Coordinates of all heavy atoms in Angstrom, one line a residue:
M26 N -27.7 14.0 -13.9 CA -27.2 15.1 -13.1 C -25.8 15.5 -13.6 O -25.0 14.6 -13.9 CB -27.1 14.7 -11.6 CG -27.0 15.8 -10.7 SD -27.1 15.4 -8.9 CE -28.8 14.7 -8.9
A27 N -25.5 16.8 -13.7 CA -24.1 17.2 -14.1 C -23.5 18.0 -13.0 O -24.1 18.8 -12.3 CB -24.3 18.0 -15.4
R28 N -22.2 17.9 -12.9 CA -21.4 18.6 -11.9 C -20.4 19.6 -12.6 O -19.7 19.2 -13.5 CB -20.7 17.6 -11.1 CG -19.8 18.3 -10.0 CD -19.0 17.3 -9.2 NE -20.0 16.5 -8.4 CZ -19.8 15.3 -8.0 NH1 -18.6 14.7 -8.2 NH2 -20.7 14.6 -7.3
V29 N -20.4 20.8 -12.1 CA -19.5 21.8 -12.5 C -18.6 22.1 -11.3 O -19.1 22.3 -10.2 CB -20.1 23.1 -13.0 CG1 -19.1 24.2 -13.3 CG2 -21.0 22.9 -14.2
V30 N -17.3 22.0 -11.5 CA -16.3 22.2 -10.4 C -15.7 23.6 -10.6 O -15.3 24.0 -11.7 CB -15.2 21.2 -10.4 CG1 -14.1 21.5 -9.4 CG2 -15.7 19.8 -10.2
V31 N -15.8 24.4 -9.5 CA -15.2 25.8 -9.5 C -14.0 25.8 -8.6 O -14.1 25.4 -7.4 CB -16.3 26.8 -9.0 CG1 -15.7 28.2 -9.1 CG2 -17.6 26.7 -9.8
D32 N -12.9 26.1 -9.2 CA -11.6 26.2 -8.4 C -11.4 27.7 -8.2 O -11.3 28.5 -9.2 CB -10.5 25.6 -9.1 CG -10.6 24.1 -9.1 OD1 -10.8 23.5 -8.1 OD2 -10.5 23.5 -10.2
V33 N -11.3 28.1 -7.0 CA -11.0 29.5 -6.6 C -9.6 29.7 -6.0 O -9.3 28.9 -5.1 CB -12.1 30.1 -5.7 CG1 -11.8 31.6 -5.3 CG2 -13.5 29.9 -6.2
M34 N -8.8 30.6 -6.6 CA -7.5 30.8 -6.0 C -7.2 32.3 -5.9 O -7.7 33.1 -6.7 CB -6.4 30.2 -7.0 CG -6.4 28.7 -7.2 SD -5.9 27.8 -5.7 CE -4.2 28.3 -5.5
L35 N -6.4 32.6 -4.9 CA -6.0 34.0 -4.8 C -5.2 34.4 -6.1 O -4.4 33.6 -6.6 CB -5.1 34.2 -3.6 CG -5.8 34.2 -2.2 CD1 -4.7 34.1 -1.1 CD2 -6.7 35.3 -2.0
K36 N -5.3 35.6 -6.5 CA -4.5 36.1 -7.6 C -3.1 36.0 -7.3 O -2.7 36.1 -6.1 CB -4.9 37.5 -8.0 CG -6.3 37.6 -8.6 CD -6.7 39.0 -9.0 CE -8.1 39.0 -9.6 NZ -8.4 40.3 -10.2
P37 N -2.2 35.8 -8.3 CA -0.8 35.6 -8.0 C -0.1 36.8 -7.2 O 0.8 36.6 -6.4 CB -0.1 35.5 -9.4 CG -1.3 35.1 -10.3 CD -2.5 35.7 -9.7
E38 N -0.6 38.0 -7.4 CA 0.0 39.1 -6.7 C -0.5 39.3 -5.3 O 0.0 40.2 -4.5 CB -0.2 40.4 -7.5 CG -1.7 40.8 -7.7 CD -2.4 40.2 -8.9 OE1 -1.8 39.3 -9.5 OE2 -3.5 40.7 -9.2
I39 N -1.5 38.5 -4.8 CA -2.0 38.6 -3.5 C -1.2 37.6 -2.6 O -1.0 36.5 -2.9 CB -3.5 38.3 -3.5 CG1 -4.3 39.2 -4.4 CG2 -4.1 38.3 -2.0 CD1 -4.3 40.6 -4.0
L40 N -0.8 38.1 -1.4 CA -0.1 37.3 -0.5 C -1.0 36.2 0.0 O -2.2 36.4 0.2 CB 0.5 38.1 0.7 CG 1.5 39.1 0.3 CD1 1.9 39.9 1.6 CD2 2.8 38.4 -0.2
D41 N -0.4 35.0 0.3 CA -1.2 33.8 0.7 C -0.6 33.4 2.0 O 0.3 32.5 2.1 CB -1.2 32.7 -0.3 CG -2.0 31.5 0.0 OD1 -2.6 31.5 1.1 OD2 -2.1 30.6 -0.8
P42 N -1.1 33.9 3.2 CA -0.5 33.5 4.5 C -0.7 32.0 4.8 O 0.2 31.4 5.4 CB -1.2 34.4 5.5 CG -2.2 35.3 4.8 CD -2.1 34.9 3.3
Q43 N -1.8 31.4 4.4 CA -2.0 30.0 4.7 C -1.0 29.2 3.9 O -0.4 28.2 4.4 CB -3.4 29.6 4.3 CG -4.5 29.9 5.3 CD -5.8 29.4 4.8 OE1 -6.3 29.7 3.7 NE2 -6.4 28.5 5.6
G44 N -0.8 29.5 2.6 CA 0.1 28.8 1.8 C 1.5 29.0 2.3 O 2.3 28.0 2.3
Q45 N 1.9 30.2 2.8 CA 3.2 30.4 3.3 C 3.4 29.6 4.6 O 4.5 29.0 4.8 CB 3.4 31.9 3.7 CG 4.8 32.3 4.1 CD 5.8 32.0 3.0 OE1 5.6 32.3 1.8 NE2 6.9 31.4 3.3
A46 N 2.4 29.5 5.5 CA 2.5 28.7 6.7 C 2.8 27.2 6.3 O 3.6 26.5 7.0 CB 1.2 28.8 7.5
V47 N 2.1 26.7 5.3 CA 2.3 25.3 4.9 C 3.7 25.2 4.4 O 4.4 24.2 4.7 CB 1.2 24.9 3.9 CG1 1.6 23.5 3.3 CG2 -0.1 24.8 4.5
A48 N 4.1 26.1 3.5 CA 5.5 26.0 2.9 C 6.5 26.1 4.0 O 7.5 25.3 4.0 CB 5.7 27.2 1.9
N49 N 6.3 26.9 5.1 CA 7.3 27.0 6.2 C 7.3 25.7 7.0 O 8.3 25.4 7.6 CB 7.0 28.2 7.0 CG 7.3 29.5 6.4 OD1 8.0 29.5 5.4 ND2 6.7 30.5 6.9
A50 N 6.2 24.9 7.1 CA 6.2 23.7 7.9 C 6.8 22.5 7.1 O 7.2 21.5 7.8 CB 4.7 23.4 8.3
L51 N 6.8 22.5 5.8 CA 7.3 21.4 5.1 C 8.7 20.9 5.4 O 8.9 19.7 5.5 CB 7.2 21.7 3.6 CG 5.7 21.7 3.0 CD1 5.7 22.1 1.6 CD2 5.0 20.4 3.2
P52 N 9.7 21.8 5.6 CA 11.0 21.3 6.0 C 11.0 20.5 7.3 O 11.8 19.6 7.5 CB 11.8 22.6 6.2 CG 11.2 23.6 5.2 CD 9.7 23.3 5.4
R53 N 10.1 20.8 8.2 CA 10.0 20.1 9.5 C 9.5 18.6 9.2 O 9.7 17.7 10.0 CB 9.1 20.8 10.5 CG 9.7 22.1 11.0 CD 8.9 22.6 12.2 NE 7.5 23.0 11.9 CZ 7.2 24.2 11.4 NH1 8.1 25.1 11.3 NH2 5.9 24.5 11.2
L54 N 8.9 18.4 8.1 CA 8.4 17.1 7.7 C 9.4 16.4 6.7 O 9.2 15.3 6.2 CB 7.1 17.2 7.0 CG 5.9 17.7 7.8 CD1 4.7 17.9 6.9 CD2 5.6 16.8 9.0
G55 N 10.6 17.1 6.5 CA 11.6 16.5 5.7 C 11.4 16.8 4.2 O 12.1 16.2 3.4
V56 N 10.5 17.7 3.9 CA 10.3 18.1 2.5 C 11.0 19.4 2.2 O 10.6 20.4 2.7 CB 8.8 18.2 2.2 CG1 8.5 18.6 0.8 CG2 8.1 16.9 2.6
D57 N 12.1 19.3 1.4 CA 12.9 20.5 1.2 C 12.8 21.0 -0.3 O 13.4 22.0 -0.6 CB 14.3 20.2 1.5 CG 14.5 20.0 3.0 OD1 13.9 20.7 3.8 OD2 15.2 19.0 3.3
D58 N 12.1 20.3 -1.2 CA 12.2 20.7 -2.6 C 10.9 21.4 -3.1 O 10.7 21.5 -4.3 CB 12.4 19.5 -3.4 CG 11.4 18.4 -3.2 OD1 10.6 18.5 -2.2 OD2 11.4 17.4 -4.0
V59 N 10.1 22.0 -2.2 CA 8.9 22.7 -2.6 C 9.2 24.2 -2.5 O 9.6 24.7 -1.5 CB 7.7 22.4 -1.6 CG1 6.5 23.3 -2.0 CG2 7.3 20.9 -1.7
A60 N 9.0 24.9 -3.7 CA 9.4 26.3 -3.8 C 8.3 27.2 -3.1 O 8.6 28.2 -2.5 CB 9.6 26.7 -5.2
S61 N 7.0 26.8 -3.3 CA 5.9 27.7 -2.8 C 4.6 26.8 -2.7 O 4.5 25.8 -3.4 CB 5.7 28.9 -3.6 OG 5.2 28.6 -4.8
V62 N 3.7 27.3 -1.9 CA 2.4 26.7 -1.8 C 1.3 27.8 -1.8 O 1.5 28.8 -1.2 CB 2.3 25.9 -0.4 CG1 0.9 25.3 -0.2 CG2 3.4 24.8 -0.3
R63 N 0.3 27.5 -2.6 CA -0.9 28.4 -2.6 C -2.1 27.6 -2.2 O -2.3 26.5 -2.6 CB -1.1 29.0 -4.0 CG 0.1 29.6 -4.7 CD 0.3 31.0 -4.2 NE -0.7 32.0 -4.6 CZ -0.8 33.2 -4.2 NH1 0.1 33.7 -3.4 NH2 -1.8 34.0 -4.6
I64 N -2.9 28.2 -1.4 CA -4.1 27.5 -0.9 C -5.4 28.1 -1.6 O -5.5 29.3 -1.8 CB -4.3 27.7 0.7 CG1 -3.1 27.2 1.4 CG2 -5.6 27.0 1.1 CD1 -2.9 25.7 1.4
G65 N -6.3 27.2 -2.0 CA -7.5 27.7 -2.7 C -8.7 26.9 -2.2 O -8.6 26.2 -1.2
K66 N -9.7 26.9 -3.0 CA -10.9 26.2 -2.6 C -11.6 25.6 -3.8 O -11.5 26.1 -4.9 CB -11.9 27.0 -1.8 CG -12.4 28.3 -2.4 CD -13.2 29.2 -1.5 CE -13.4 30.5 -2.1 NZ -14.0 31.4 -1.2
R67 N -12.2 24.5 -3.6 CA -13.0 23.8 -4.7 C -14.4 23.7 -4.3 O -14.8 23.3 -3.2 CB -12.4 22.4 -4.8 CG -13.2 21.5 -5.7 CD -12.7 20.0 -5.6 NE -13.7 19.1 -6.2 CZ -13.4 18.3 -7.2 NH1 -12.2 18.3 -7.8 NH2 -14.3 17.5 -7.7
I68 N -15.3 24.1 -5.2 CA -16.7 24.1 -5.0 C -17.3 23.3 -6.1 O -17.0 23.4 -7.3 CB -17.3 25.6 -5.0 CG1 -16.7 26.4 -4.0 CG2 -18.8 25.5 -4.9 CD1 -15.7 27.4 -4.4
E69 N -18.2 22.4 -5.7 CA -18.9 21.6 -6.7 C -20.4 22.0 -6.8 O -21.1 22.1 -5.8 CB -18.9 20.1 -6.3 CG -17.5 19.5 -6.3 CD -17.4 18.1 -5.8 OE1 -18.4 17.5 -5.5 OE2 -16.3 17.5 -5.9
I70 N -20.8 22.3 -8.0 CA -22.2 22.7 -8.2 C -22.9 21.6 -9.1 O -22.4 21.3 -10.2 CB -22.3 24.0 -9.0 CG1 -21.6 25.1 -8.2 CG2 -23.8 24.4 -9.2 CD1 -21.4 26.4 -9.0
E71 N -23.9 20.9 -8.5 CA -24.6 19.9 -9.3 C -25.9 20.5 -9.9 O -26.7 21.0 -9.1 CB -24.9 18.7 -8.4 CG -23.6 17.9 -8.0 CD -23.9 16.6 -7.4 OE1 -25.1 16.3 -7.1 OE2 -22.9 15.9 -7.0
F72 N -26.0 20.3 -11.2 CA -27.2 20.8 -11.9 C -28.1 19.6 -12.1 O -27.6 18.5 -12.5 CB -26.8 21.4 -13.2 CG -26.2 22.8 -13.1 CD1 -24.8 22.9 -13.0 CD2 -26.9 23.9 -13.0 CE1 -24.2 24.1 -12.9 CE2 -26.3 25.2 -12.9 CZ -24.9 25.3 -12.8
A73 N -29.4 19.8 -12.0 CA -30.4 18.8 -12.4 C -30.5 18.9 -14.0 O -30.9 19.9 -14.5 CB -31.7 19.1 -11.8
G74 N -30.0 17.9 -14.6 CA -29.9 18.0 -16.1 C -28.5 18.2 -16.5 O -27.6 17.8 -15.9
S75 N -28.4 18.9 -17.6 CA -27.0 19.2 -18.2 C -26.3 20.3 -17.5 O -27.0 21.2 -16.9 CB -27.1 19.5 -19.7 OG -27.9 20.6 -19.9
A76 N -25.0 20.3 -17.6 CA -24.2 21.4 -16.9 C -24.5 22.7 -17.6 O -24.5 22.8 -18.9 CB -22.7 21.0 -17.0
D77 N -24.6 23.8 -16.8 CA -24.9 25.1 -17.4 C -23.7 26.0 -17.0 O -23.6 26.6 -15.9 CB -26.2 25.7 -16.8 CG -26.6 27.0 -17.4 OD1 -25.7 27.7 -18.0 OD2 -27.8 27.4 -17.3
L78 N -22.7 26.0 -17.9 CA -21.4 26.8 -17.5 C -21.7 28.3 -17.4 O -21.0 28.9 -16.6 CB -20.4 26.5 -18.6 CG -19.7 25.1 -18.5 CD1 -18.7 24.9 -19.7 CD2 -19.0 25.0 -17.2
D79 N -22.6 28.8 -18.2 CA -22.9 30.2 -18.1 C -23.5 30.5 -16.7 O -23.1 31.5 -16.0 CB -23.8 30.7 -19.2 CG -23.2 30.7 -20.5 OD1 -22.0 30.9 -20.6 OD2 -23.9 30.5 -21.5
R80 N -24.4 29.7 -16.2 CA -25.0 29.9 -14.9 C -23.9 29.7 -13.8 O -23.9 30.5 -12.9 CB -26.2 28.9 -14.7 CG -26.9 29.0 -13.4 CD -27.5 30.4 -13.1 NE -28.4 30.7 -14.2 CZ -29.7 30.9 -14.0 NH1 -30.3 30.8 -12.8 NH2 -30.4 31.3 -15.0
A81 N -23.1 28.7 -14.0 CA -22.0 28.4 -13.0 C -21.1 29.6 -12.9 O -20.6 30.0 -11.9 CB -21.3 27.1 -13.3
R82 N -20.7 30.2 -14.1 CA -19.8 31.3 -14.1 C -20.4 32.5 -13.4 O -19.8 33.2 -12.6 CB -19.5 31.7 -15.6 CG -18.5 32.8 -15.7 CD -18.1 33.0 -17.2 NE -17.2 31.9 -17.6 CZ -17.6 30.9 -18.4 NH1 -18.8 30.9 -18.9 NH2 -16.7 30.0 -18.7
E83 N -21.7 32.7 -13.6 CA -22.4 33.8 -12.9 C -22.4 33.6 -11.4 O -22.2 34.5 -10.6 CB -23.9 33.9 -13.4 CG -24.7 35.0 -12.7 CD -26.1 35.0 -13.2 OE1 -26.5 34.1 -14.0 OE2 -26.9 35.9 -12.8
I84 N -22.7 32.3 -11.0 CA -22.7 32.0 -9.5 C -21.3 32.3 -8.9 O -21.1 32.9 -7.9 CB -23.1 30.5 -9.3 CG1 -24.6 30.4 -9.7 CG2 -22.8 30.1 -7.9 CD1 -25.0 28.9 -9.8
A85 N -20.3 31.8 -9.6 CA -18.9 32.0 -9.2 C -18.5 33.4 -9.1 O -17.9 33.9 -8.1 CB -17.9 31.2 -10.1
D86 N -18.9 34.2 -10.1 CA -18.5 35.6 -10.2 C -19.2 36.4 -9.1 O -18.6 37.3 -8.5 CB -18.8 36.2 -11.5 CG -18.2 37.6 -11.8 OD1 -17.0 37.8 -11.4 OD2 -19.0 38.4 -12.3
K87 N -20.4 36.1 -8.8 CA -21.2 36.9 -7.9 C -21.2 36.5 -6.5 O -21.5 37.2 -5.5 CB -22.7 37.0 -8.4 CG -22.8 37.8 -9.7 CD -24.3 37.9 -10.1 CE -24.4 38.7 -11.3 NZ -25.8 38.8 -11.8
L88 N -20.9 35.2 -6.3 CA -21.1 34.6 -4.9 C -19.8 33.9 -4.4 O -19.5 34.0 -3.2 CB -22.3 33.7 -4.9 CG -22.6 33.0 -3.6 CD1 -23.1 34.1 -2.6 CD2 -23.8 32.0 -3.8
L89 N -19.2 33.1 -5.2 CA -18.1 32.2 -4.7 C -16.7 32.8 -4.7 O -15.9 32.4 -3.9 CB -18.1 30.9 -5.6 CG -19.4 30.2 -5.6 CD1 -19.3 29.0 -6.6 CD2 -19.9 29.7 -4.3
A90 N -16.5 33.8 -5.5 CA -15.1 34.3 -5.6 C -15.2 35.9 -5.4 O -16.2 36.5 -5.9 CB -14.5 34.0 -6.9
N91 N -14.2 36.4 -4.8 CA -14.1 37.9 -4.7 C -13.2 38.3 -5.9 O -12.0 38.1 -5.9 CB -13.4 38.2 -3.4 CG -13.2 39.7 -3.2 OD1 -13.3 40.5 -4.2 ND2 -12.9 40.1 -2.0
P92 N -13.8 38.9 -6.9 CA -13.0 39.2 -8.1 C -11.9 40.2 -7.9 O -11.0 40.3 -8.8 CB -14.0 39.7 -9.1 CG -15.2 40.2 -8.3 CD -15.2 39.3 -7.0
V93 N -11.9 40.9 -6.8 CA -10.8 41.8 -6.5 C -9.5 41.1 -6.2 O -8.4 41.5 -6.6 CB -11.2 42.8 -5.4 CG1 -10.0 43.7 -5.0 CG2 -12.4 43.6 -5.8
I94 N -9.6 40.0 -5.5 CA -8.4 39.3 -5.0 C -8.3 37.8 -5.5 O -7.3 37.2 -5.2 CB -8.3 39.3 -3.5 CG1 -9.4 38.6 -2.8 CG2 -8.1 40.8 -3.0 CD1 -9.2 38.4 -1.3
E95 N -9.4 37.3 -6.1 CA -9.4 35.9 -6.5 C -9.7 35.7 -8.0 O -10.5 36.5 -8.6 CB -10.4 35.1 -5.7 CG -10.1 35.1 -4.2 CD -11.2 34.5 -3.4 OE1 -12.4 34.7 -3.6 OE2 -10.9 33.7 -2.5
D96 N -9.2 34.6 -8.5 CA -9.5 34.2 -9.9 C -10.2 32.8 -9.7 O -10.1 32.1 -8.7 CB -8.3 33.9 -10.7 CG -7.5 35.2 -11.1 OD1 -8.2 36.2 -11.3 OD2 -6.3 35.2 -11.1
F97 N -11.0 32.4 -10.7 CA -11.6 31.1 -10.7 C -11.6 30.5 -12.0 O -11.5 31.2 -13.0 CB -13.1 31.2 -10.1 CG -14.0 32.0 -11.0 CD1 -14.7 31.4 -12.0 CD2 -14.3 33.3 -10.7 CE1 -15.6 32.1 -12.8 CE2 -15.1 34.0 -11.5 CZ -15.8 33.4 -12.6
T98 N -11.7 29.2 -12.0 CA -11.8 28.4 -13.2 C -13.0 27.5 -13.1 O -13.3 27.1 -12.0 CB -10.5 27.6 -13.6 OG1 -10.3 26.7 -12.5 CG2 -9.3 28.5 -13.8
L99 N -13.6 27.1 -14.2 CA -14.7 26.2 -14.2 C -14.4 25.0 -15.1 O -13.7 25.1 -16.1 CB -15.9 26.8 -14.8 CG -16.4 28.1 -14.2 CD1 -17.5 28.8 -15.1 CD2 -17.0 27.9 -12.9
R100 N -14.9 23.8 -14.7 CA -14.8 22.7 -15.6 C -16.0 21.7 -15.2 O -16.5 21.7 -14.1 CB -13.5 21.9 -15.4 CG -13.3 21.2 -14.1 CD -11.9 20.6 -14.0 NE -11.7 19.8 -12.8 CZ -11.4 20.3 -11.6 NH1 -11.2 21.6 -11.5 NH2 -11.2 19.6 -10.6
V101 N -16.4 21.0 -16.3 CA -17.5 20.0 -16.1 C -16.8 18.7 -15.7 O -15.8 18.3 -16.3 CB -18.3 19.8 -17.4 CG1 -19.3 18.7 -17.2 CG2 -18.9 21.1 -17.8
E102 N -17.3 18.1 -14.6 CA -16.7 16.9 -14.1 C -17.7 15.8 -14.5 O -18.9 15.8 -14.1 CB -16.5 16.9 -12.6 CG -15.8 15.7 -12.1 CD -15.4 15.9 -10.6 OE1 -16.2 15.5 -9.8 OE2 -14.3 16.4 -10.4
E103 N -17.3 14.8 -15.2 CA -18.1 13.7 -15.7 C -18.5 12.9 -14.5 O -17.6 12.5 -13.7 CB -17.4 12.9 -16.8 CG -17.1 13.7 -18.0 CD -18.4 14.2 -18.7 OE1 -19.4 13.5 -18.7 OE2 -18.3 15.3 -19.2
Q104 N -19.7 12.5 -14.4 CA -20.2 11.6 -13.3 C -20.0 10.1 -13.8 O -20.3 9.8 -14.9 CB -21.7 11.8 -13.1 CG -22.0 13.2 -12.6 CD -21.6 13.4 -11.2 OE1 -21.3 12.4 -10.4 NE2 -21.5 14.6 -10.8
P105 N -19.3 9.3 -13.0 CA -19.2 7.9 -13.5 C -20.5 7.2 -13.5 O -21.4 7.5 -12.7 CB -18.3 7.3 -12.4 CG -18.4 8.2 -11.2 CD -18.8 9.6 -11.7
E106 N -20.7 6.4 -14.5 CA -21.9 5.6 -14.7 C -22.0 4.6 -13.5 O -21.0 4.0 -13.2 CB -22.0 4.9 -16.0 CG -22.0 5.9 -17.2 CD -23.3 6.6 -17.2 OE1 -24.4 6.1 -16.9 OE2 -23.3 7.8 -17.6
P107 N -23.2 4.4 -12.9 CA -23.3 3.4 -11.9 C -23.0 2.0 -12.5 O -23.4 1.7 -13.6 CB -24.7 3.5 -11.4 CG -25.4 4.6 -12.2 CD -24.4 5.1 -13.2
A108 N -22.3 1.2 -11.7 CA -22.0 -0.1 -12.2 C -23.2 -1.0 -12.2 O -24.0 -0.9 -11.3 CB -20.9 -0.7 -11.3
E109 N -23.4 -1.7 -13.3 CA -24.6 -2.6 -13.3 C -24.2 -3.9 -12.6 O -23.1 -4.4 -12.7 CB -24.9 -2.9 -14.8 CG -25.4 -1.7 -15.5 CD -25.9 -2.1 -16.9 OE1 -26.2 -3.2 -17.2 OE2 -25.9 -1.2 -17.7
V110 N -25.2 -4.4 -11.9 CA -25.0 -5.6 -11.1 C -25.7 -6.7 -11.8 O -26.9 -6.6 -12.2 CB -25.6 -5.5 -9.7 CG1 -25.4 -6.8 -8.9 CG2 -24.9 -4.3 -8.9
E111 N -25.0 -7.8 -12.1 CA -25.6 -8.9 -12.8 C -26.2 -9.8 -11.8 O -25.6 -10.1 -10.7 CB -24.5 -9.7 -13.6 CG -23.9 -9.0 -14.8 CD -23.0 -9.8 -15.5 OE1 -23.1 -11.1 -15.5 OE2 -22.1 -9.2 -16.2
E112 N -27.4 -10.2 -12.1 CA -28.1 -11.2 -11.2 C -27.7 -12.6 -11.6 O -27.6 -12.9 -12.8 CB -29.6 -10.9 -11.3 CG -30.1 -9.6 -10.7 CD -31.6 -9.5 -10.7 OE1 -32.2 -10.5 -10.5 OE2 -32.1 -8.4 -10.9
Q113 N -27.6 -13.4 -10.6 CA -27.3 -14.8 -10.9 C -28.4 -15.7 -10.6 O -29.2 -15.6 -9.8 CB -26.0 -15.2 -10.1 CG -24.8 -14.4 -10.5 CD -23.6 -14.9 -9.8 OE1 -23.6 -15.8 -9.0 NE2 -22.5 -14.2 -10.0

């Protein structure tokens, strides 16, 4: 099984009210050195078999991201091999 991770973020020129709310709350937590915060979303697509980046790109472009206001990136995330258990 292969996993493709899609990260969707608002384009830089689009205002991010959620990110701004988080940035405004940080000083109340004693965090004063953060210049800005942007909020996005992570979507994991698991393929039966090998990762299909072309299919994942099509899914992201048509369904997961709004291309007018959002950008997305794709990456294949390696699945860790299950640990073998030694019998005694």
Side-chain angles (χ1 to χ4, degrees):
M26 196 174 300
R28 177 180 296 156
V29 175
V30 176
V31 182
D32 291 308
V33 180
M34 294 293 294
L35 288 170
K36 291 184 177 186
E38 62 272 13
I39 303 297
L40 294 177
D41 183 355
Q43 281 183 298
Q45 188 62 46
V47 170
N49 290 341
L51 290 175
R53 292 192 294 272
L54 298 174
V56 179
D57 295 318
D58 57 348
V59 174
S61 68
V62 176
R63 306 281 293 171
I64 303 290
K66 55 188 170 185
R67 170 188 164 120
I68 299 103
E69 297 177 357
I70 304 170
E71 289 190 0
F72 288 94
S75 61
D77 187 340
L78 285 175
D79 290 332
R80 179 62 56 116
R82 185 172 288 106
E83 180 183 6
I84 292 167
D86 189 47
K87 292 182 178 178
L88 182 64
L89 302 176
N91 178 347
V93 174
I94 62 169
E95 295 173 318
D96 291 324
F97 65 88
T98 59
L99 303 171
R100 70 179 183 281
V101 176
E102 187 172 90
E103 297 298 325
Q104 299 287 341
E106 294 294 324
E109 292 186 24
V110 177
E111 290 186 28
E112 292 186 32
Q113 296 183 4

